[in-house]
Amino acid sequence: MMKVLLLLFVFFGVSLCEVGNISEDDDAALEKQVKMMSKPPVKTFVTAEGDTIDCIDIDKQPSLEHPLLKNHKVQKEPTFHVTSPGRNFSRMKAVQFRLREPCPVGTVPIPRVTKKDLIRARATPKIPFSASSRLDTFQHTNMNTRWLGLWTICDPLGATMLINLGDSNTDDIKYGLYGRTSIYNVTVAQEQFSSHNVWIQSEPLDHVSMITVGWMVNPKLYGDSVPRMFTFWTGDGYRDGCYNLLCPGFVVVDGGAFFNKPLVGSTYGGDQRELAILVQQDRTTRNWWLLIGFPPATVGYWPKELLPNLQDGCQITAWGGVALAGSDGICPPIGSGQKPDGDYRHATYFRILHRIDVNGTFALPSRNVMETVDQSNVYGLKNHRYEGSMGYWIGYGGPGGKCFG
Ligand SMILES: *[C@@H]1O[C@H](CO)[C@@H](O)[C@H](O)[C@H]1NC(C)=O
Ligand SMILES: *[C@@H]1O[C@H](CO)[C@@H](O)[C@H](O)[C@H]1NC(C)=O
Ligand SMILES: *[C@@H]1O[C@H](CO)[C@@H](O)[C@H](O)[C@H]1NC(C)=O
Ligand SMILES: *[C@@H]1O[C@H](CO)[C@@H](O)[C@H](O)[C@H]1NC(C)=O
């Protein structure tokens, strides 16, 4: 009986909250959003991977359509000196994000948004907030195992599992974070996603302001199964915000950055390919900058207007992964699909972890960091702390498998 009920809920859940429910009103709203986000391109090109990119006047980009950005003047570069910790190693290559040919001067590359993209994004669960205490972990886990279909599928977070290291020492306000994570060509099912990312976050949780950046394999969102860079933000507890550039918000300044570029994975046991991520608040303008690669390229920023709880630094920085389970209760692999065993060429890692302190200095994570592993039967996390050329590092991930139901 329970099983039948569950199936019914899941069935209706899907039709109520996901792709099935596109009413005429919705359809009109989506059309309107696509229209609002489409600006006349100065130039258009199709990448080798088949993505259509429009070069749009930097001062007319779709993000400026956000009602809170009516009088926003685009900040063309950070006021701080851009630098990042760590060195080059021949066995670990930071992936580059350049378009083969940049957009003309004064324009920025914006991946073209279609109605299909918006429908897919709507059906994709969001990146869960990072836990800052045992209680949050409990709430998070509880929220995501409320397996009476409707809730789970209508819940913005879906059946997401969290594996991360969080620095939530609230005595230390943080103005940014740094980390490099290895990329793998993870295989996931259509209903799952596998994410590897950082968090910048401040409470209260029901109005959480949050920025996440990393790479993921997410067929729901992208319509393909290749690792791609992503961002997700919300200013107000999932009531606003979105993935990537699928809603007004993130301001692009780099004419050569390919926002959601497909990435090539690392070789298990061999050379590693890394995504180097720096998120840093500009203390003069209070905007949060995104810098990718090594040396870091200034991609753009989240304007302060959108992040009410991130006006002056953040409470939590975190590094790790998120897994979305399918309705069959199967969790996808995270990273290479292996639990951390101490060898950086085996499980995926985050290394050279830093937070940015009140003086704008790169500092190691604080002493009382917290580890969260939602499904320790199928995932693991190992905190190696500081180890020579790896810097402060963690191994994380695992094979996935049956995780509930
Ligand atoms: C579709 O979803 C909206 C909320 O987005 C809801 O108000 C409406 O009742 C749903 N329509 C149907 C036919 O289920
Ligand atoms: C690291 O190596 C890449 C290419 O291998 C190069 O483009 C970059 O300038 C190097 N960075 C530094 C800081 O030496
Ligand atoms: C990554 O895996 C997918 C299947 O999941 C495959 O189609 C693709 O060729 C792989 N890419 C690389 C670069 O190995
Ligand atoms: C920041 O700099 C001031 C002045 O040099 C120093 O007193 C303080 O301890 C520093 N704070 C941190 C967190 O390093």
Side-chain angles (χ1 to χ4, degrees):
M1 181 60 201
M2 202 58 197
K3 273 236 164 82
V4 172
L5 211 62
L6 205 126
L7 275 176
L8 274 177
F9 270 129
V10 170
F11 180 78
F12 284 113
V14 169
S15 64
L16 282 169
C17 304
E18 293 200 359
V19 194
N21 179 23
I22 303 294
S23 65
E24 276 171 32
D25 285 359
D26 276 351
D27 199 60
L30 289 173
E31 293 274 4
K32 208 170 138 201
Q33 192 172 351
V34 168
K35 206 160 163 221
M36 184 257 289
M37 310 249 326
S38 308
K39 301 290 161 196
V42 170
K43 184 179 171 184
T44 293
F45 53 95
V46 179
T47 66
E49 294 83 5
D51 299 277
T52 302
I53 311 251
D54 289 323
C55 299
I56 311 280
D57 183 331
I58 187 168
D59 294 312
K60 296 190 179 129
Q61 57 184 300
S63 274
L64 302 173
E65 293 289 332
H66 196 291
L68 293 175
L69 301 180
K70 272 213 167 67
N71 301 312
H72 185 87
K73 195 171 169 313
V74 173
Q75 186 183 354
K76 304 280 162 55
E77 53 189 41
T79 64
F80 55 85
H81 171 63
V82 173
T83 176
S84 75
R87 289 188 289 125
N88 265 352
F89 290 102
S90 58
R91 292 184 69 81
M92 297 163 166
K93 288 211 167 44
V95 295
Q96 297 301 320
F97 270 81
R98 313 318 296 168
L99 288 162
R100 272 192 200 92
E101 187 192 343
C103 277
V105 175
T107 69
V108 289
I110 308 286
R112 188 171 297 172
V113 174
T114 64
K115 206 161 82 179
K116 233 183 187 160
D117 295 325
L118 297 179
I119 292 170
R120 280 205 308 257
R122 182 193 284 210
T124 307
K126 313 300 183 250
I127 300 293
F129 54 79
S130 176
S132 65
S133 66
R134 297 284 161 208
L135 187 64
D136 292 352
T137 315
F138 176 75
Q139 281 174 344
H140 169 84
T141 312
N142 216 22
M143 181 158 64
N144 294 314
T145 44
R146 288 186 310 213
W147 259 92
L148 273 179
L150 252 185
W151 271 333
T152 308
I153 290 178
C154 293
D155 189 318
L157 306 184
T160 47
M161 314 294 157
L162 195 63
I163 308 110
N164 76 5
L165 182 80
D167 182 351
S168 54
N169 183 357
T170 42
D171 297 340
D172 279 325
I173 296 293
K174 303 156 195 68
Y175 292 89
L177 91 179
Y178 186 76
R180 297 190 201 173
T181 187
S182 46
I183 302 161
Y184 282 92
N185 192 15
V186 192
T187 303
V188 310
Q190 191 62 31
E191 282 188 301
Q192 305 169 328
F193 73 59
S194 178
S195 175
H196 314 71
N197 58 276
V198 298
W199 283 257
I200 292 274
Q201 176 182 314
S202 282
E203 298 188 351
L205 288 180
D206 53 343
H207 293 280
V208 70
S209 291
M210 183 176 94
I211 292 169
T212 63
V213 183
W215 67 270
M216 56 163 52
V217 177
N218 190 338
K220 263 184 197 278
L221 183 65
Y222 292 115
D224 64 23
S225 298
V226 295
R228 287 181 186 255
M229 192 198 116
F230 83 94
T231 62
F232 174 80
W233 68 274
T234 179
D236 184 16
Y238 300 98
R239 290 169 191 86
D240 58 0
C242 60
Y243 282 104
N244 303 330
L245 299 175
L246 293 170
C247 66
F250 185 85
V251 177
V252 181
V253 304
D254 185 338
F258 181 178
F259 209 73
N260 309 135
K261 188 178 165 114
L263 307 171
V264 176
S266 306
T267 306
Y268 178 87
D271 287 354
Q272 302 296 302
R273 297 182 62 95
E274 310 178 313
L275 180 61
I277 305 165
L278 170 61
V279 181
Q280 184 166 351
Q281 187 170 32
D282 192 314
R283 300 286 286 282
T284 308
T285 62
R286 296 180 186 253
N287 298 326
W288 286 86
W289 284 89
L290 171 65
L291 304 108
I292 292 286
F294 188 77
T298 310
V299 179
Y301 63 89
W302 292 270
K304 67 166 188 304
E305 290 88 341
L306 306 180
L307 301 161
N309 297 321
L310 293 173
Q311 294 296 302
D312 187 26
C314 72
Q315 294 165 342
I316 298 179
T317 50
W319 301 261
V322 176
L324 173 70
S327 53
D328 53 5
I330 306 289
C331 277
I334 290 283
S336 67
Q338 183 167 318
K339 283 191 183 181
D341 64 356
D343 187 331
Y344 74 87
R345 293 164 304 182
H346 290 171
T348 191
Y349 59 78
F350 252 111
R351 69 182 185 107
I352 320 181
L353 303 190
H354 286 88
R355 63 191 157 90
I356 296 171
D357 72 14
V358 65
N359 294 334
T361 308
F362 287 104
L364 297 181
S366 67
R367 264 178 230 286
N368 41 1
V369 287
M370 197 183 86
E371 295 169 24
T372 305
V373 179
D374 269 354
Q375 295 289 336
S376 56
N377 54 330
V378 297
Y379 302 122
L381 186 146
K382 188 164 166 51
N383 185 1
H384 296 274
R385 297 182 186 267
Y386 192 84
E387 272 186 9
S389 61
M390 291 296 282
Y392 191 118
W393 75 290
I394 59 170
Y396 66 101
K402 193 80 179 163
C403 55
F404 65 80

